Amino acid sequence: MKTYLDCFPCFLRQVVIALSQVPVDEALKVEILKETLEDVRGTDTSKTPAHTTTFIHRRIRRMLGRDPFKEIKHRYNHAALGLYPSLKSLVDDSRDPLWTASRLAIAGNVIDFGIYTEVDIEAEIDRSLKGEIVWDDYTDFRAALDRAGEVLYLVDNAGEIVFDRILIETLRDRGNKVVAVVKGGPVINDSTAEDALEVGLQQVCEVRDNGSDAIGTILEWCSEEFLALFRRSELVVSKGQGNFETLMNVDKDVFFLFQAKCNVVAGFLGVASGSMLLVDNRKLKGHDFPYTKTDSRIG
Amino acid sequence: MKTYLDCFPCFLRQVVIALSQVPVDEALKVEILKETLEDVRGTDTSKTPAHTTTFIHRRIRRMLGRDPFKEIKHRYNHAALGLYPSLKSLVDDSRDPLWTASRLAIAGNVIDFGIYTEVDIEAEIDRSLKGEIVWDDYTDFRAALDRAGEVLYLVDNAGEIVFDRILIETLRDRGNKVVAVVKGGPVINDSTAEDALEVGLQQVCEVRDNGSDAIGTILEWCSEEFLALFRRSELVVSKGQGNFETLMNVDKDVFFLFQAKCNVVAGFLGVASGSMLLVDNRKLKGHDFPYTKTDSRIG
């Protein structure tokens, strides 16, 4: 996906979110934000928004001398782990464990643990389990899993990775060999090897990293090892909007499980912002996605 | 009011909104947006957000070679004029015409004529007339008007200026001499002399301009003529958030009639975003407004 004009305010919103994680002086925050304007200016709109935000987050980490999301990720994982037993039972006791686990994995992407409001996660999940999957290629997803032996599973956020673990366990129990892929280095609240360890993912499947600290999966920046793995994989399960933005045009069998979290991606797909989606990559082909919506309200 | 970190994404959002008004090539829009990053970088956070947005909008007009809001302002005025007779009757037939006209003037600020949805303005007004004025210094407002002879009335947006006309007529009928003040040059959808003419404001009261194309009323950039008028005015009625941001610290009797349209101003005042407000400037003094809220949700 290319970068739209509407992505630019969101670039700065992401800077503000990153800086709000750390108790540093407001003046330093403003200085860092102003420096990131270099990355915003450097935006190549023919590339994905994830390209620019990757540069931005690198600069923020460099200038802060730390990963601003380290603590919150730990808290996300801990909160989600507390739900694991009940969610696991929910899946095991359901008529179609794959369906339930898939929905849960999408719900896990829906949950956007507000930093000061880690409350009512269960209610959020309950809502997500009842809510409509607006774009629902589940039947094709199940069929593709039945055909495939090995599945490459690209996880997304910390916390959410617990939900991924449950889906991966379900895939394993159905006979798929799963290789989970985390980020090669910290970037926003995305899962790294450390998060995988924290939620016990290594006990369930092989865990590899993509050799990159990019938002989503920007193949040109991934390691040779990951690219080899990616190329030979029969089926890719991809979590989160960042992976959708960066992999939607790839010529592979990919199923995207995510929530359209911004107006640009939602408008692009013709769905409401906040929609839960299970998208077969092959069904995107031939579609025309004329993104025209813009935020035109005047303050 | 100073500029907060949360204002920076909004600076770019305003650029996108301005550029969405004109049918020019996306590449040119991106070029203009990137040039405005210079203004964003130049932000002096000890000044109001209006300072930066003024620079931004000047650059946009210069690069476009036109005022991007010219057409929409004309449409706002036309739509609001269509409502004038019924709104005027509403005020005249009410038990307290000043109260009704004041609420209508705040409602006029609430109405944010979405560009593609100029529908249901009457329903919006009806809602606003029923909605709560969250910060309500109406009693003091009426008393101050009773004491004052001349009133300086700072109008805000096109369209909304029709609602201002009704309040100004009400003030006139109660015995106040009103001087209405418009912008000295086009900036966003703010009213200029042209808009005042379009809605017949000159038939109702004296209309002056402030000699400036700034958002709100940045006194350091206003004309000497306006400053003299401002200094000798007994009472100022100020419409809109921009005027609140730029005049809240002024040592005068000012009543602010507006809607808190952004999280920063709403958080600063401790009210919900979207709140309707009638604020006595004197009551702001001595208050502590520790703005701490920030948009900390992670996408």
Side-chain angles (χ1 to χ4, degrees):
Chain A
M1 205 179 85
K2 61 163 264 185
T3 296
Y4 293 86
L5 206 64
D6 286 321
C7 299
F8 285 83
C10 197
F11 290 154
L12 292 195
R13 204 177 67 86
Q14 295 209 32
V15 175
V16 172
I17 289 170
L19 294 173
S20 73
Q21 310 301 314
V22 285
V24 299
D25 194 63
E26 174 92 357
L28 175 60
K29 291 184 181 182
V30 170
E31 186 193 328
I32 294 174
L33 183 140
K34 287 185 175 181
E35 288 301 314
T36 65
L37 295 175
E38 274 310 299
D39 304 310
V40 176
R41 181 187 278 275
T43 298
D44 176 349
T45 55
S46 73
K47 305 265 185 179
T48 70
H51 282 75
T52 295
T53 43
T54 297
F55 292 130
I56 284 174
H57 284 290
R58 280 180 190 158
R59 190 187 293 265
I60 291 171
R61 289 194 302 276
R62 197 165 60 237
M63 289 188 74
L64 284 175
R66 58 183 283 196
D67 167 18
F69 293 95
K70 195 174 168 66
E71 287 77 22
I72 190 79
K73 282 168 63 181
H74 176 68
R75 282 163 58 201
Y76 287 8
N77 287 333
H78 188 76
L81 273 175
L83 298 175
Y84 175 83
S86 63
L87 296 176
K88 181 68 176 162
S89 299
L90 193 69
V91 169
D92 290 344
D93 299 345
S94 71
R95 224 162 66 173
D96 184 350
L98 178 62
W99 183 86
T100 308
S102 301
R103 282 190 76 105
L104 265 183
I106 299 171
N109 187 242
V110 165
I111 295 166
D112 189 349
F113 299 63
I115 252 168
Y116 305 110
T117 55
E118 273 173 60
V119 294
D120 228 356
I121 296 172
E122 285 184 83
E124 261 303 296
I125 290 163
D126 195 49
R127 193 193 62 75
S128 293
L129 283 170
K130 285 174 185 148
E132 185 194 4
I133 305 290
V134 172
W135 182 313
D136 188 355
D137 291 333
Y138 173 69
T139 309
D140 305 281
F141 182 47
R142 191 178 51 201
L145 288 166
D146 288 342
R147 283 193 306 272
E150 192 171 301
V151 172
L152 198 64
Y153 192 111
L154 311 178
V155 304
D156 188 21
N157 303 327
E160 180 183 344
I161 194 174
V162 172
F163 297 75
D164 296 321
R165 175 179 160 170
I166 294 173
L167 176 51
I168 289 169
E169 287 169 338
T170 309
L171 297 178
R172 182 197 59 188
D173 295 347
R174 292 179 86 252
N176 292 115
K177 177 180 181 309
V178 180
V179 178
V181 179
V182 294
K183 295 292 153 69
V187 59
I188 53 171
N189 57 339
D190 286 9
S191 299
T192 60
E194 200 176 327
D195 299 294
L197 267 174
E198 195 159 46
V199 305
L201 195 62
Q202 278 89 345
Q203 301 159 29
V204 176
C205 68
E206 185 183 347
V207 178
R208 303 279 289 273
D209 77 64
N210 69 2
S212 160
D213 65 350
I215 308 278
T217 302
I218 299 179
L219 292 172
E220 57 189 309
W221 296 342
C222 289
S223 65
E224 273 310 317
E225 292 74 9
F226 171 75
L227 289 176
L229 183 67
F230 187 80
R231 274 193 291 265
R232 74 163 185 265
S233 68
E234 294 173 67
L235 183 63
V236 178
V237 177
S238 164
K239 290 292 302 294
Q241 182 173 292
N243 281 327
F244 175 76
E245 288 175 28
T246 50
L247 292 175
M248 62 167 288
N249 293 319
V250 83
D251 187 25
K252 282 201 80 69
D253 284 324
V254 185
F255 283 84
F256 296 104
L257 281 64
F258 70 114
Q259 182 196 4
K261 287 182 179 168
C262 75
N263 285 336
V264 172
V265 168
F268 179 80
L269 287 168
V271 300
S273 188
S275 293
M276 294 190 283
L277 309 160
L278 199 169
V279 176
D280 179 352
N281 194 34
R282 300 294 184 189
K283 302 227 170 139
L284 291 169
K285 300 285 180 292
H287 271 263
D288 186 27
F289 296 109
Y291 175 67
T292 53
K293 187 186 171 307
T294 198
D295 182 354
S296 55
R297 291 177 73 81
I298 298 170
Chain B
M1 204 179 86
K2 59 163 266 186
T3 297
Y4 293 87
L5 207 63
D6 286 320
C7 299
F8 285 83
C10 197
F11 290 154
L12 292 195
R13 203 176 67 85
Q14 295 209 33
V15 175
V16 172
I17 289 169
L19 294 173
S20 74
Q21 311 299 316
V22 286
V24 300
D25 194 63
E26 173 93 357
L28 176 59
K29 291 184 180 182
V30 170
E31 187 193 328
I32 294 174
L33 184 140
K34 287 185 175 181
E35 289 300 315
T36 64
L37 296 175
E38 273 310 300
D39 304 310
V40 176
R41 181 187 279 275
T43 296
D44 176 349
T45 55
S46 72
K47 305 265 186 179
T48 71
H51 282 76
T52 296
T53 43
T54 297
F55 292 130
I56 284 174
H57 284 290
R58 280 181 190 158
R59 190 186 293 267
I60 291 171
R61 289 194 302 275
R62 197 165 62 236
M63 289 188 74
L64 283 174
R66 58 182 283 197
D67 167 18
F69 293 95
K70 196 176 167 65
E71 287 78 22
I72 191 78
K73 282 169 62 181
H74 176 68
R75 282 163 57 200
Y76 286 9
N77 287 334
H78 187 76
L81 274 175
L83 299 175
Y84 175 83
S86 62
L87 296 177
K88 181 68 173 160
S89 300
L90 194 67
V91 169
D92 290 344
D93 299 344
S94 70
R95 225 162 63 171
D96 182 351
L98 179 61
W99 183 86
T100 308
S102 301
R103 282 192 75 106
L104 263 182
I106 300 172
N109 187 240
V110 165
I111 294 166
D112 188 349
F113 299 63
I115 250 166
Y116 305 111
T117 55
E118 273 173 61
V119 293
D120 227 359
I121 296 171
E122 285 184 85
E124 262 303 296
I125 290 163
D126 195 49
R127 193 192 62 75
S128 294
L129 283 171
K130 285 176 187 147
E132 184 195 4
I133 306 290
V134 172
W135 182 313
D136 188 355
D137 291 332
Y138 173 68
T139 309
D140 305 281
F141 182 47
R142 191 179 48 201
L145 288 166
D146 287 342
R147 283 193 304 273
E150 191 171 301
V151 172
L152 198 65
Y153 192 111
L154 311 178
V155 305
D156 188 21
N157 304 326
E160 180 183 344
I161 194 175
V162 172
F163 297 75
D164 295 321
R165 176 180 160 168
I166 294 173
L167 176 52
I168 289 168
E169 287 169 338
T170 309
L171 297 178
R172 182 197 58 189
D173 296 347
R174 292 180 85 252
N176 293 114
K177 177 180 183 309
V178 180
V179 178
V181 178
V182 295
K183 296 292 153 69
V187 59
I188 54 170
N189 57 338
D190 286 10
S191 298
T192 60
E194 201 176 326
D195 299 293
L197 268 174
E198 195 158 46
V199 305
L201 195 61
Q202 279 88 344
Q203 300 159 30
V204 177
C205 67
E206 185 183 346
V207 178
R208 304 278 289 272
D209 76 66
N210 68 2
S212 161
D213 65 349
I215 309 279
T217 302
I218 300 179
L219 293 172
E220 58 189 307
W221 296 342
C222 288
S223 66
E224 275 309 316
E225 291 76 7
F226 170 75
L227 289 177
L229 183 67
F230 187 78
R231 273 193 291 264
R232 74 161 185 267
S233 68
E234 294 173 68
L235 183 64
V236 178
V237 177
S238 163
K239 289 292 304 291
Q241 181 174 292
N243 282 328
F244 175 76
E245 289 175 29
T246 49
L247 292 176
M248 61 167 288
N249 293 319
V250 83
D251 186 25
K252 281 202 79 69
D253 284 324
V254 185
F255 283 83
F256 296 105
L257 281 63
F258 71 113
Q259 183 196 4
K261 287 184 180 169
C262 75
N263 286 335
V264 172
V265 169
F268 179 80
L269 288 168
V271 300
S273 187
S275 294
M276 294 189 284
L277 309 161
L278 199 170
V279 176
D280 179 351
N281 193 34
R282 299 296 183 188
K283 301 229 170 139
L284 291 170
K285 300 288 180 288
H287 270 264
D288 186 27
F289 296 110
Y291 175 66
T292 53
K293 187 185 172 307
T294 196
D295 183 353
S296 56
R297 292 178 70 81
I298 299 169

